[in-house]
Structures are given as C-alpha cells and as structure tokens.
Amino acid sequence: MASIKERLQQAFDSQHYDADDDIPSISNADLFIEREPTVAEFIQEITPSWQAIGRYIYNLFPFIQWIGKYNGIWLIGDLVAGITVGAVVVPQSMAYAMLAQLPVEYGLYSSFMGVLIYWFFATSKDITIGPVAVMSQVTGNVVLHAKDTIPHIEGHVVASALAIISGAIICFMGLARLGWIVEIIPLPAICAFMTGSGVNIIAGQVSKLMGIPKINTRNAPYRVIIDTLKGLPHSSIDAALGLTSLAMLYIIRGFCTHMAKKQPHRAKTYFFISTLRTAFVILLYTAISAAVNVPRHKKNLKFSLIKDVPRGFQHAAAPTVTIEIIKAFASELPAAIIVMLIEHISISKSFGRVNNYVIDPSQELVAIGVSNLLGPFLGAYPATGSFSRTAIKSKAGVRTPFAGVITAVVVLLAVYALTSVFYYIPNAALAGVIIHAVGDVITPPKVILQFWRVSPLEVIIFLAGVLVTIFSTIEDGIYTTVSVSFAVVIWRLFLSRGRFLGVARIRTVVTSPNGSVTGLGSDEGVADDLNKSSRTGFLPLDHEDGSNPRIDLQRPYPGIYVYRFAEGFNYPNATRYLNHLTETIFKETRRTDLTLVGKIGDRAWNDPTPRNVEKEAVDDNKPILKAIVLDFSTVNNIDVTAAQALIDVRNQLDRYAAPGTVDWHFAHIENRWTKRALAAAGFGYRSPKLRAGENPGQWKTIFSIADLGGSDSAAKAAALEGKAGRGSYDIESKQVPDSEIWPASGSENDVPSNPGSARLVAVHGLNRPYFHFDLQEAVEAAIANAERRP
C-alpha cells in the first residue's frame, strides 16, 4: 500500500500542473490566458510599503484628522454632552468602585483618566471609557482573591497591576491590528454574560440596599440570593434610604419617558432631566444623611456612609507590578480581557451604526490599552466602554471625542472640591444607583424571543451562559459562552452538508397595482419581455432551501451531477461532502462496464458488485456517470487535505466509470489560489490528457465572453445582434447541441458577426477549460462533451 508521501507526490505530479490544455484560436474575441499566483506575489502583497507604514502611524492618532476643523458649534455640543456625562459619571464611578472592593476615590481616578486619554486615540465620538459594573465586579473578584493569597499587598495595588497587564495585552492586539478577533464572540454570548453579570451584581447589592449584615457576596449568585432572603428580617434603617432612592430613580425615568412621548416638543428637556436623575438622587440623599448625621458623633452614625474621601490624587504613583501579583490574578486575566474587549467594541459598533459612522476595532483596542496603561499612574483600576454613559453622551448631542476632556474637567472638580460632601453619601443610595444602572444590561424577554425566531440554537448558548454565571461565577459564564459559541461554529463547519442541484426554467414577472401579473398573458409585447427574462435556475433537488416543492426539478443531463458546497471546502468537512457525493452517485448510476471489475478474488472485500456479473441482470434504466459539476461559490480556499480527497474520489469514480473517465467541472471559483491548488491536483483540464499527435476528436471548449469596456464597448452591438454571452469552440463541427433544457446558445451567432463592431474578451483563462464563469456555462460544457461520447 502506498504511503501518504507517495500518494501526495503522485497526486501533485507536474504532468497536470505545468501542461495547460490547447487553447483555441477565435477570430472575433480576444483570448485570455490566466496565470497562477506565486509565493513571491503573496509576499509582495503582505509586505507593507513605506507609504503604508506612514499611514499606519498616522492612523494611530485619529484626532489629527478632525482637530483642525474644530469649531464653535462643535464646542457647544461637546460642552453640553461632556458636562451631562460628568454629572452622571461622578456618582456612578464611586458606586462601581465599591463593586471593585476599593475605596470610592479609585472610581473617580479611573473615570478621570479614561475620558482624558481616550479622545487622542478614539474612532468613536460617543463612547465613554471609565469604570463599568461588570468590569468592576470582575476586578472585585480579583481583589478579594488576592487578599487571600497575598494579604500583605493592598487591593488597589492589585487592581492597578491588573489594569497595566490587561492594558498592555489589549494595546498589543490593537497595534497588531487584531481587532477582528472580537468577532468570534456572537451577540447571544455577549447578552448572556451581560445578563448573568447583571443578576450577579444585583444579587450582591441587595444586602447593601437593605442594610442586611453578614452576607457573603463572594458566593455564587444563587447562594447570595438565598442568604439575602433569609436575612430580610435583619434589615436596618438603611433599607429606607436604599428602597426609596431606587424607587425614585425609576419613577423619574418613567415620568420623563412618558412626558417626552406626550410632549415631543419638550423631549430634549425631559431627556436632560432623566439623565441627571442619578446626580439629583445622590445629592438629595446626601443632604438627608448630612441632616441626620451631622449633629451625631462620627462613631454613632445613623446610616452606613462612604465616609472620608481624600482630596486630589493622593494615590498617584508608579504602579507596582511583580510576578507575585501577576500570579495572584493570572487565572482571572483572560476573563478580564474578554470583558474589556466585548463591552467596548460591541458598544462602539452599535452607536457607530446608529449615528452613521464606522469605528476601527483595532484602533479602539489601542485606545483601551493606552487608557489602562496610563490610568494606574493616578491610581485607576481597569476601565472600558460604558453603555449607559455612552447612550447619554450620544443623546446629549456630542459632536467629537473632545467631549471627554470636558467630562474630565467635571470629574477633576469633584475630586478637588466635593470630597467633603462625599463623606455623607449613604452606601444604600449607592447600592440603589448600581442596581438601577445594572438593570438595563439584563436582556429583556422580547430580545430572547427574537433570538429564538432567528436561531433557536443560539438561545441555548444564551441560557447556558446565564445559568452558569448565576450558579457559578462571572468568569465561568464568560468561558462557557465563548466555548459553546466556538463549538457551534465548529459543529456547523464539520457537519455541513452540500446539496445536489436540479435545473428549471425561471422567468421574472411583475405584479401591477391591481394584482394582475404582467408577463403571463398572450400579448405579443409581454411575451417578448417574458422571453428576455427567461433563464436557467439551479435549485436543490430536495427543496431544503425553502423553494416551492411543486417545481419539478431535474438533473441537467443523465449521468451529470451538479453539487454545491454549503460551508467552504477544507479538511474539516471535505470527507463528509465527498462521501455524500459518492453515495448518491453509486445509488443513482450504474457501473459503465461490469466486466472490468475482475474476478471475485481480486475485488475489494466491500465491493457491492454482484458475485456473478455475467448472470446478474443490469438495470439499464440507470445512467452511467459522465460528469460532475462543483459549485465553488461558497469556497474561498482549499487545503492539501481537501485537494487529496478530491483526487481520491476522482480516481475512485474513474475506476467506476472505466473504460471512460469522469469530467470534473468547477464554477464560481473566486480565488486564484484555489485555482492554483485545483490545477496542481490535476483539475481544470480535459481528462485524460491528449498524447502528442493524438486527434482531439469531438471535444469542445465552452467559455464566457464580456465587453472589454471603454470606447470598444459592445453594449450597442450586443443589443442589435441579440443575446451575446456564451462563446464556444467545437474542434470539428463548431455547433452546440440543442436539448429540452439547454437551448442552443453556443454558436458563432452569439457574438457580433463583425469583429470590428465590438471588442469582446474571454472572462476566464482558456488554458483551464474546466474552470467556468458560472454554473450555466459549466453545465453546458459538461452536456456538450457528454453527448459526443460513445
């Protein structure tokens, strides 16, 4: 038995690779010889020029493209949006710092650095970088885990180190232009981990909202929910502040939404009122808390408060990053990076589509990376894009990314001027702010129903991610959704199944306003239009594409099979495709010459041929195999495994069709490297190859032609001459046979009779006559040559 190495050497022998088929000479159309791509061309394509390098550096700083056009109108829009977001980010960032198990000032540091740095590298005018709920929760898990393993290192040091490492990795991905990698995570997976994370965060905040002591929020969310319900009888006076603040947030938002619909002319006013509800509620409950607690001694406070917040950036210093610290959060690092990536990119893409601009995912990774690399020098912890603040910024009328600088000024004022006021902010009110903000990231039922209508399988991905997050951790939920999504892609790729195509005559008709169909009457003009629109259509024989099952499809010719791949053609699915192809062929055709199978002892053990072929009745109703047409419209590249599988099947079917051979025609090959691979495997040529001096007989070349364009365009000539499109070359008769399905369309009348009246050229290279422009050309060629065989 030949080794794999010998089989490959034999398969890719240069006898097919170097010798092109004879090219016919045609008087009224220019020939085209297609050359194969080379490795040198590929290297040249991927090697950047100095101009490309300069453009790469220029694109790293997108603000250069618009800063010179900055004007007063833009400044007004940015001022409004920046101040509005600043009023929201101050209370939100302090609340999210609590999620990260850090003092509230670290949330302010993170929000300041995020908005200050981002605008230099931004390709989105709407996105706002800073602390977000899910990333803060992940950071909090890292801080708590590090507290157990390295208790001598403070939590903010660990959080800053996490920002440095994750920022460096993301920045590298952006500089390497790997933004496309985010696309491997589908929308249901993103919604799943956001929903699960929202439930996780809300479950952990209810105890603070209600003032319930001794609830371990590090447990799985379902355990936290159970413990919280058990602890409800132990709620404190903080519940009065927490519940009323949460209710007020929802009441204000609901009232403003209702009034904006009722009074559209004041919608902008109600929008700003709704946007500032968080700042209003925090200020209101801070005033209530101060009125109650100022007369009291600080050791006998009525409510649980934030207490001391240092003024300014007192924790500014070079961050500490050691091997010991990295080891403490190494297991959570992938989850942190995934959260930062998908939150930011999905938000920026969404708002880019809404506001009619396109973001550069790779450049956005650079922006996130740099923000997290520089932020820790002022004490910041990991930050990424915020959905709620981005939505507010967009609706507030932001004009450019420079609005982030305005927001940074607002945060800076809060850090230096309002820290004494922050002392009296109730923790229960901050918990209400967190629950209110996080509630918006939970996927509503109508969206899940839409997932079910579009792709029921992806609802399973969504539910798996949510359930794992609730019953385990956010990190496990992220890994589950990503893994299951990848598994679904692999499953679809490996188990994809091609389809056999049949043909039908298709016509295009037009419905008039009164409901009648133009093109079905007996009017002569209508009939002419109908004939012009008549064409050959290819549909799956089993109608699995949803086409009308009443359409009677038939194979284009006895013994000719048209097969379309579903999901590319590479090593994962090549065997499955070709098994399906050969099984159907063996089932529907008969062997050409049973006497060639040999004696019973010389056959393979699994050969289905009858024991005594001379006495067995032959089913003459079944055709013999003549040609296979493969539709490569879904194929981009093929690999060695797929090429070898094609070679093996070709050899198998040639033995089955002996003493004849099977023609292999290919349509819709869109990639030059795919043509090169097929040609190297011996496809694209007449089979078998003619020997020197051998008569080609009745073999035909059928190919497509097109206008060269410009001043030599054949548009007018084609309109006058009729339907030009297929060119053919019959070595002897120069005629194409008619059939019921395929009307004569390959004669010399198909091109203008006067070669000087038009300039026509072949669409594809005639040196590979079995590589065709489309399925119709491929099937015409297969039929024309099949009918001339004995």
Side-chain angles (χ1 to χ4, degrees):
M1 184 175 179
S3 65
I4 294 177
K5 182 178 180 181
E6 292 172 346
R7 291 170 63 199
L8 287 174
Q9 185 176 359
Q10 181 181 4
F12 293 97
D13 196 309
S14 62
Q15 63 175 334
H16 292 298
Y17 188 75
D18 294 330
D20 289 337
D21 271 329
D22 295 333
I23 301 169
S25 59
I26 303 172
S27 60
N28 54 356
D30 292 346
L31 300 180
F32 172 60
I33 308 302
E34 187 172 356
R35 302 302 177 189
E36 292 176 349
T38 63
V39 175
E41 290 180 21
F42 174 73
I43 294 175
Q44 186 177 5
E45 287 176 2
I46 64 174
T47 303
S49 63
W50 288 110
Q51 183 181 5
I53 294 173
R55 191 184 310 112
Y56 169 82
I57 296 173
Y58 176 77
N59 289 336
L60 288 177
F61 305 96
F63 77 94
I64 298 175
Q65 302 173 19
W66 54 264
I67 194 67
K69 299 180 287 184
Y70 204 81
N71 54 69
I73 296 177
W74 289 6
L75 178 60
I76 293 173
D78 289 345
L79 276 171
V80 173
I83 294 172
T84 304
V85 172
V88 175
V89 73
V90 170
Q92 272 195 356
S93 62
M94 291 191 294
Y96 292 154
M98 296 171 59
L99 279 178
Q101 307 298 321
L102 299 173
V104 294
E105 61 267 23
Y106 289 96
L108 296 172
Y109 304 156
S110 299
S111 60
F112 173 77
M113 289 300 290
V115 294
L116 181 65
I117 297 171
Y118 174 69
W119 76 277
F120 282 98
F121 308 95
T123 61
S124 169
K125 70 179 180 65
D126 299 297
I127 202 77
T128 300
I129 286 186
V132 296
V134 179
M135 191 65 234
S136 297
Q137 182 75 2
V138 172
T139 303
N141 294 340
V142 170
V143 170
L144 291 174
H145 177 68
K147 188 176 181 180
D148 296 334
T149 56
I150 46 175
H152 58 284
I153 297 179
E154 294 182 82
H156 71 88
V157 175
V158 175
S160 294
L162 176 63
I164 288 283
I165 299 300
S166 57
I169 294 173
I170 294 174
C171 186
F172 169 78
M173 293 172 63
L175 293 173
R177 292 304 188 239
L178 298 177
W180 53 267
I181 203 169
V182 182
E183 305 297 339
I184 66 173
I185 305 175
L187 178 60
I190 296 173
C191 292
F193 103 83
M194 293 293 286
T195 299
S197 300
V199 174
N200 188 314
I201 293 168
I202 291 173
Q205 292 300 306
V206 170
S207 60
K208 295 180 180 179
L209 184 81
M210 302 296 294
I212 303 172
K214 299 179 181 179
I215 300 295
N216 184 5
T217 57
R218 295 182 60 185
N219 289 331
Y222 81 98
R223 285 296 316 166
V224 175
I225 294 172
I226 293 173
D227 294 340
T228 301
L229 292 175
K230 290 180 178 179
L232 284 178
H234 305 288
S235 301
S236 65
I237 191 64
D238 290 325
L241 295 179
L243 290 174
T244 54
S245 64
L246 181 61
M248 187 173 294
L249 288 168
Y250 277 107
I251 290 172
I252 294 175
R253 185 175 72 175
F255 172 78
C256 291
T257 302
H258 173 73
M259 294 304 296
K261 293 179 180 178
K262 194 172 182 180
Q263 301 176 359
H265 59 287
R266 296 181 179 176
K268 201 74 172 179
T269 302
Y270 289 116
F271 161 73
F272 283 109
I273 295 174
S274 178
T275 297
L276 298 176
R277 67 186 181 276
T278 302
F280 170 74
V281 168
I282 290 297
L283 288 175
L284 174 63
Y285 282 86
T286 300
I288 295 173
S289 173
V292 173
N293 290 299
V294 165
R296 293 171 174 269
H297 192 274
K298 289 188 176 183
K299 294 183 179 180
N300 189 28
L301 298 173
K302 191 70 173 176
F303 311 123
S304 173
L305 306 179
I306 287 179
K307 298 183 180 179
D308 294 318
V309 177
R311 183 173 180 269
F313 297 96
Q314 297 190 13
H315 299 284
T320 302
V321 182
T322 64
I323 299 296
E324 182 184 26
I325 296 175
I326 295 175
K327 287 181 177 179
F329 61 71
S331 60
E332 286 92 352
L333 184 60
I337 292 174
I338 291 173
V339 170
M340 294 170 72
L341 290 180
I342 60 180
E343 275 209 76
H344 184 94
I345 299 300
S346 60
I347 293 169
S348 57
K349 276 187 173 183
S350 175
F351 281 89
R353 286 190 292 266
V354 169
N355 294 312
N356 196 29
Y357 63 86
V358 179
I359 64 122
D360 181 352
S362 297
Q363 183 60 28
E364 289 299 311
L365 298 190
V366 173
I368 306 172
V370 174
S371 298
N372 283 280
L373 278 171
L374 299 181
F377 286 89
L378 289 184
Y381 69 88
T384 187
S386 165
F387 179 81
S388 60
R389 297 194 295 273
T390 299
I392 291 170
K393 190 176 180 183
S394 177
K395 292 180 181 179
V398 64
R399 303 303 298 270
T400 71
F402 187 74
V405 177
I406 311 300
T407 302
V409 172
V410 175
V411 176
L412 191 66
L413 291 174
V415 169
Y416 279 95
L418 299 178
T419 51
S420 58
V421 178
F422 294 158
Y423 181 95
Y424 293 101
I425 296 178
N427 285 317
L430 283 181
V433 169
I434 293 173
I435 293 173
H436 178 67
V438 170
D440 293 334
V441 306
I442 296 177
T443 305
K446 65 179 181 180
V447 175
I448 303 174
L449 180 60
Q450 182 66 14
F451 288 167
W452 178 263
R453 290 173 177 169
V454 174
S455 176
L457 184 61
E458 295 193 83
V459 176
I460 299 175
I461 299 176
F462 174 82
L463 295 177
V466 172
L467 293 175
V468 171
T469 302
I470 292 174
F471 288 93
S472 183
T473 63
I474 291 178
E475 291 82 1
D476 290 341
I478 293 171
Y479 299 145
T480 298
T481 54
V482 173
S483 299
V484 175
S485 300
F486 187 71
V488 168
V489 171
I490 295 298
W491 176 73
R492 286 173 173 167
L493 181 63
F494 274 75
L495 299 182
S496 57
R497 185 183 178 99
R499 290 172 177 169
F500 287 93
L501 304 182
V503 295
R505 297 305 297 174
I506 308 296
R507 295 173 176 83
T508 301
V509 297
V510 181
T511 57
S512 60
N514 61 8
S516 63
V517 178
T518 303
L520 298 181
S522 58
D523 182 79
E524 185 176 349
V526 171
D528 290 341
D529 291 339
L530 185 60
N531 290 331
K532 291 178 182 178
S533 70
S534 177
R535 61 195 183 277
T536 301
F538 294 87
L539 297 171
L541 288 169
D542 53 13
H543 294 284
E544 286 186 357
D545 64 336
S547 57
N548 192 337
R550 297 173 60 189
I551 299 175
D552 183 20
L553 298 174
Q554 51 184 305
R555 298 208 184 274
Y557 189 84
I560 294 180
Y561 288 81
V562 183
Y563 192 77
R564 175 180 293 159
F565 300 115
E567 298 264 355
F569 182 64
N570 294 98
Y571 73 92
N573 51 28
T575 300
R576 182 176 175 85
Y577 279 139
L578 297 179
N579 284 346
H580 181 215
L581 177 67
T582 54
E583 286 172 3
T584 304
I585 288 174
F586 291 153
K587 182 179 179 181
E588 298 182 1
T589 63
R590 58 184 172 87
R591 189 183 287 271
T592 304
D593 189 351
L594 286 174
T595 62
L596 297 179
V597 298
K599 298 179 180 179
I600 186 69
D602 297 330
R603 304 177 197 170
W605 63 274
N606 59 344
D607 191 331
T609 306
R611 181 181 182 88
N612 192 335
V613 295
E614 296 179 357
K615 295 182 179 180
E616 292 287 341
V618 178
D619 187 359
D620 291 331
N621 293 325
K622 290 184 177 180
I624 60 174
L625 178 62
K626 294 187 177 181
I628 294 172
V629 179
L630 297 181
D631 183 355
F632 264 52
S633 57
T634 62
V635 179
N636 185 33
N637 283 292
I638 67 170
D639 49 35
V640 173
T641 305
Q644 181 59 44
L646 273 177
I647 292 167
D648 292 340
V649 171
R650 179 183 61 190
N651 295 336
Q652 179 186 16
L653 295 180
D654 280 347
R655 289 192 297 269
Y656 180 75
T661 57
V662 180
D663 288 338
W664 290 75
H665 297 263
F666 298 82
H668 297 299
I669 304 178
E670 308 292 343
N671 190 306
R672 293 175 64 210
W673 287 93
T674 300
K675 293 181 181 179
R676 168 177 161 146
L678 291 171
F683 294 97
Y685 310 99
R686 205 172 4 156
S687 178
K689 295 283 288 183
L690 295 177
R691 297 183 179 87
E694 187 177 352
N695 184 5
Q698 299 285 343
W699 185 75
K700 296 172 57 63
T701 297
I702 291 183
F703 58 95
S704 295
I705 57 177
D707 290 354
L708 183 63
S711 59
D712 292 325
S713 174
K716 291 185 178 180
L720 295 173
E721 293 285 347
K723 43 187 179 180
R726 290 282 182 271
S728 68
Y729 178 79
D730 189 330
I731 290 179
E732 291 192 358
S733 67
K734 296 187 179 181
Q735 292 180 358
V736 179
D738 295 338
S739 69
E740 293 181 3
I741 299 177
W742 306 103
S745 60
S747 68
E748 287 185 340
N749 292 330
D750 281 341
V751 294
S753 57
N754 179 11
S757 66
R759 190 72 178 275
L760 302 175
V761 294
V763 176
H764 284 302
L766 301 185
N767 52 326
R768 306 282 165 72
Y770 282 7
F771 291 160
H772 300 281
F773 171 68
D774 59 11
L775 276 177
Q776 182 171 345
E777 176 193 317
V779 174
E780 285 180 5
I783 294 175
N785 290 298
E787 289 192 340
R788 281 166 167 74
R789 288 188 177 181

